[in-house]
Amino acid sequence: MHISKINPTTTAAWKNLEKHFKKVQHVAMKDLFAQNPNRAKDFTIRWEDFYVDFSKNRITDETFRLLLQLADEVHLKEAIQAYFSGEKINETENRAVLHTALRASGNADVKVDGVHIMPEVISVKEKIKHFTEAIVSGKQKGFTNKAFTDVVNIGVGGSDLGPAMAVEALQYYKNHLITHFVSNVDGDHIQDIINKINPETTLFIVVSKSFTTQETISNAKTIKDWFLSREFGAKQEDIAKHFVAVSANIEKAKVFGINPTNIFPMWDWVGGRFSLWSAVGLSISLAVGNDHFEKLLQGANKMDIHFKTEAFKSNIPVILALLGVWYTNFYQTESEAVIPYSQYLDKFVAYLQQGVMESNGKGVDRNGKPVNYQTGSIIWGGPGTNAQHAFFQLIHQGTKLIPTDFIGFVQSLHGNKGHHDKLMSNFFAQTEALLNGKNITEVDGNEAVIPFKVFEGNKPTNSILIKKLTPESLGKLIAMYEHKIFVQGIIWNIFSFDQFGVELGKKLAGNILNDLKEGAFVNHDASTSELLKYYVNLTK
């Protein structure tokens, strides 16, 4: 089952959407609600503990019908089958895309190059479980026979953002281990972490598929040198008790000093930004316990099944993706805001930024031709209610149309209903205000200020209401956005699973580092040469 390579603008649905858009682009959502008293119910999906209301969007029944037709015409159903079957849909790198297999049930039939991969996936899960239990229980100790108190995850990109986001999101479920994340090659950052930990009671996880990533290996070597410094009395052989690796390069990890039994594998059919479900999530398992880590995976698997089997008209990731296409390609919006009404999800938007913009920030289609339509979307946002006091002015009264996802939870974790009611009243009020606005007749005050107090309204939002923030519901939420990314990549006819755009700057950084060492600046543009000279002169 191959993925079709169709330019979406050539489909009948796209052409009909263009005609339709000219008729409805200025439609008032308030009028649509007035015309259909059942609109809220018609455009809401109830699935397990999720309640997804997409009625506050600039769509009519006809818009919805044409968007669903577009999904059919680009052969989305067949693409989903190829996605889950292990076909090498990452064609530019000749790889399958199977992060979904990491959270599949043990009896799932998933093959790569004709080989069943689930036995290996299950084996790694068992290894994560046993390692987690040994560390958390205190059975496995450090070089001075003390139990571990801290865990430091050393990675960058997908080897950092996913685990760091999930650990923070699941703080309520954490055990006694204190978890730290080192990603930036910024020496001040790593020193700040070092100042907080005791080498005798700290476990270090080095996460790098190649074990050559500059930021990760630089940070790992700095920590290793600190660990072996004379004042602590640690010896080379003690590295094996304190350092573990998640990598595909076993030899380099062994040279570093890591015991082969403490090397967890990575597979080329799992992209970095989709890897928290693998051994890259070891820090999650250690932070919240393996049972909660497994619940995270099970939640994602439930969303996988929903996405794979549900009709498109009631398929949450498909509908969210189609709405994004409607705004990006017809309203020409450039960004989407994501506002989680939970401080625990503080890192969620940063995580989505990588997932969305690294995946679908592409200007060449699957046929190798430049696209003649917009792809990707700028993702930004932050937790409500903080966001309301930061950038909601732009969403409410600015000149840009910014579709916004509101994510909220019915139940608070600590049971403070008074606070939670205040929080959620803001959630509901903001979507209502963005819908209705405030016209000139409703504004009080001095006539001179009246124009400044008018709210246009008619701003699109999705309300994603979840019963409670649990490991399982977090898994569902993350997988929901993963599949939204996939659907949009199929519609835009782009490869979502490579990321060549991050490589050029990394290569040039290596060249510049050599120049800095040698003090000679050649083969650079005039601006870069002058910047380098200025930097060097001030650091002498």
Side-chain angles (χ1 to χ4, degrees):
M1 184 70 64
H2 292 286
I3 291 179
S4 300
K5 298 180 178 180
I6 299 169
N7 181 325
T9 65
T10 65
T11 63
W14 191 283
K15 291 170 182 173
N16 287 330
L17 279 164
E18 288 178 323
K19 295 174 187 173
H20 173 68
F21 175 72
K22 290 176 182 176
K23 297 178 185 175
V24 302
Q25 61 180 306
H26 300 301
V27 68
M29 290 188 284
K30 286 197 290 186
D31 292 343
L32 297 177
F33 277 98
Q35 292 160 14
N36 178 9
N38 293 318
R39 179 179 173 84
K41 291 181 179 178
D42 291 346
F43 287 155
T44 290
I45 300 171
R46 295 185 183 212
W47 172 75
E48 296 213 342
D49 53 344
F50 275 51
Y51 183 98
V52 180
D53 179 350
F54 61 99
S55 63
K56 295 188 183 82
N57 278 284
R58 295 185 186 181
I59 59 168
T60 65
D61 291 340
E62 178 69 0
T63 318
F64 193 43
R65 184 187 70 77
L66 288 171
L67 288 170
L68 291 171
Q69 182 186 328
L70 176 63
D72 289 335
E73 288 192 43
V74 298
H75 304 297
L76 177 60
K77 187 172 285 294
E78 292 81 358
I80 292 170
Q81 290 174 354
Y83 175 33
F84 282 92
S85 70
E87 186 175 323
K88 293 182 179 179
I89 63 172
N90 179 357
E91 291 184 25
T92 55
E93 296 178 313
N94 195 34
R95 295 175 182 172
V97 178
L98 279 172
H99 49 276
T100 54
L102 301 170
R103 61 236 191 176
S105 61
N107 58 4
D109 182 18
V110 188
K111 297 177 184 176
V112 173
D113 292 327
V115 178
H116 290 278
I117 62 170
M118 290 311 295
E120 189 176 2
V121 170
I122 293 165
S123 172
V124 174
K125 282 185 180 181
E126 283 297 308
K127 186 172 181 176
I128 292 170
K129 178 183 177 181
H130 295 315
F131 185 82
T132 298
E133 289 173 349
I135 297 295
V136 173
S137 68
K139 182 180 177 182
Q140 188 165 327
K141 295 179 171 62
F143 75 100
T144 58
N145 206 34
K146 293 179 181 178
F148 290 103
T149 58
D150 293 71
V151 175
V152 177
N153 188 90
I154 309 166
V156 72
S159 299
D160 167 78
L161 278 168
M165 176 275 294
V167 168
E168 179 154 326
L170 299 176
Q171 280 290 312
Y172 178 79
Y173 302 91
K174 266 186 61 55
N175 53 35
H176 64 282
L177 293 175
I178 302 168
T179 319
H180 312 269
F181 291 87
V182 175
S183 55
N184 202 323
V185 76
D186 180 355
D188 292 341
H189 180 215
I190 194 167
Q191 189 60 49
D192 185 56
I193 298 295
I194 285 173
N195 290 343
K196 296 175 182 176
I197 56 177
N198 176 355
E200 296 179 80
T201 59
T202 303
L203 177 75
F204 302 97
I205 308 170
V206 185
V207 188
S208 173
K209 183 179 286 188
S210 64
F211 221 80
T212 60
T213 308
Q214 184 193 63
E215 296 95 331
T216 301
I217 300 308
S218 295
N219 286 334
K221 285 180 177 176
T222 296
I223 287 178
K224 177 182 172 183
D225 290 345
W226 166 79
F227 178 79
L228 292 173
S229 58
R230 213 173 291 171
E231 61 185 295
F232 302 128
K235 300 181 176 64
Q236 181 69 29
E237 58 266 28
D238 295 325
I239 290 170
K241 295 181 180 179
H242 284 260
F243 287 78
V244 302
V246 182
S247 181
N249 195 331
I250 294 172
E251 288 308 310
K252 280 194 176 293
K254 284 165 63 178
V255 169
F256 186 90
I258 294 172
N259 187 325
T261 61
N262 287 336
I263 300 173
F264 295 77
M266 297 177 80
W267 301 287
D268 68 1
W269 38 265
V270 180
R273 57 196 175 277
F274 304 102
S275 63
L276 69 85
W277 319 102
S278 70
V280 170
L282 180 60
S283 57
I284 307 172
S285 183
L286 288 165
V288 300
N290 191 253
D291 287 348
H292 287 315
F293 181 62
E294 281 294 326
K295 285 289 185 184
L296 181 77
L297 271 59
Q298 289 165 16
N301 180 240
K302 287 183 178 182
M303 182 58 76
D304 294 343
I305 294 167
H306 167 80
F307 174 57
K308 188 164 56 170
T309 61
E310 187 68 33
F312 291 165
K313 66 180 180 181
S314 49
N315 190 310
I316 298 170
V318 170
I319 289 171
L320 294 179
L322 290 171
L323 290 170
V325 169
W326 175 236
Y327 294 117
T328 299
N329 297 107
F330 296 90
Y331 280 95
Q332 299 299 310
T333 59
E334 293 189 342
S335 75
E336 299 173 16
V338 178
I339 316 296
Y341 276 71
S342 169
Q343 193 61 36
Y344 285 122
L345 293 182
D346 185 39
K347 288 187 168 69
F348 188 67
V349 178
Y351 172 75
L352 286 184
Q353 285 174 339
Q354 184 193 28
V356 174
M357 296 196 284
E358 194 167 271
S359 298
N360 288 342
K362 311 289 171 62
V364 174
D365 71 13
R366 290 198 290 265
N367 300 301
K369 297 177 180 178
V371 299
N372 59 350
Y373 45 87
Q374 288 294 312
T375 68
S377 195
I378 299 165
I379 302 298
W380 60 286
T385 59
N386 293 0
Q388 296 169 201
H389 294 271
F391 51 75
F392 266 47
Q393 172 65 41
L394 178 70
I395 299 176
H396 277 288
Q397 289 187 306
T399 57
K400 297 170 176 60
L401 183 66
I402 302 167
T404 305
D405 285 356
F406 283 74
I407 302 167
F409 299 91
V410 175
Q411 297 176 9
S412 70
L413 293 176
H414 291 280
N416 191 326
K417 191 171 186 305
H419 267 275
H420 199 64
D421 284 349
K422 289 172 185 172
L423 176 73
M424 293 308 295
S425 67
N426 278 274
F427 174 108
F428 300 122
Q430 290 295 331
T431 65
E432 186 174 46
L434 287 164
L435 167 69
N436 292 323
K438 194 172 187 180
N439 65 40
I440 201 163
T441 64
E442 298 171 310
V443 177
D444 298 323
N446 186 304
E447 190 173 330
V449 259
I450 283 176
F452 302 99
K453 294 187 175 182
V454 170
F455 287 71
E456 180 186 1
N458 211 33
K459 312 287 188 180
T461 62
N462 295 307
S463 294
I464 301 162
L465 202 54
I466 304 166
K467 185 176 178 182
K468 189 176 182 180
L469 178 55
T470 65
E472 183 177 302
S473 67
L474 179 66
K476 292 174 183 174
L477 183 67
I478 298 168
M480 180 191 82
Y481 278 104
E482 286 180 347
H483 298 322
K484 176 185 174 182
I485 291 166
F486 172 81
V487 172
Q488 290 185 329
I490 295 301
I491 292 172
W492 288 323
N493 192 32
I494 55 176
F495 288 121
S496 297
F497 299 105
D498 60 30
Q499 60 279 338
F500 297 118
V502 304
E503 294 181 3
L504 177 60
K506 288 166 69 173
K507 182 179 180 182
L508 292 178
N511 296 339
I512 289 173
L513 184 60
N514 288 331
D515 288 352
L516 289 172
K517 290 175 181 175
E518 296 170 8
F521 310 118
V522 294
N523 300 322
H524 298 294
D525 62 88
S527 168
T528 304
S529 293
E530 291 303 314
L531 285 165
L532 288 167
K533 290 173 187 175
Y534 179 79
Y535 174 79
V536 168
N537 286 336
L538 286 184
T539 55
K540 283 180 179 176

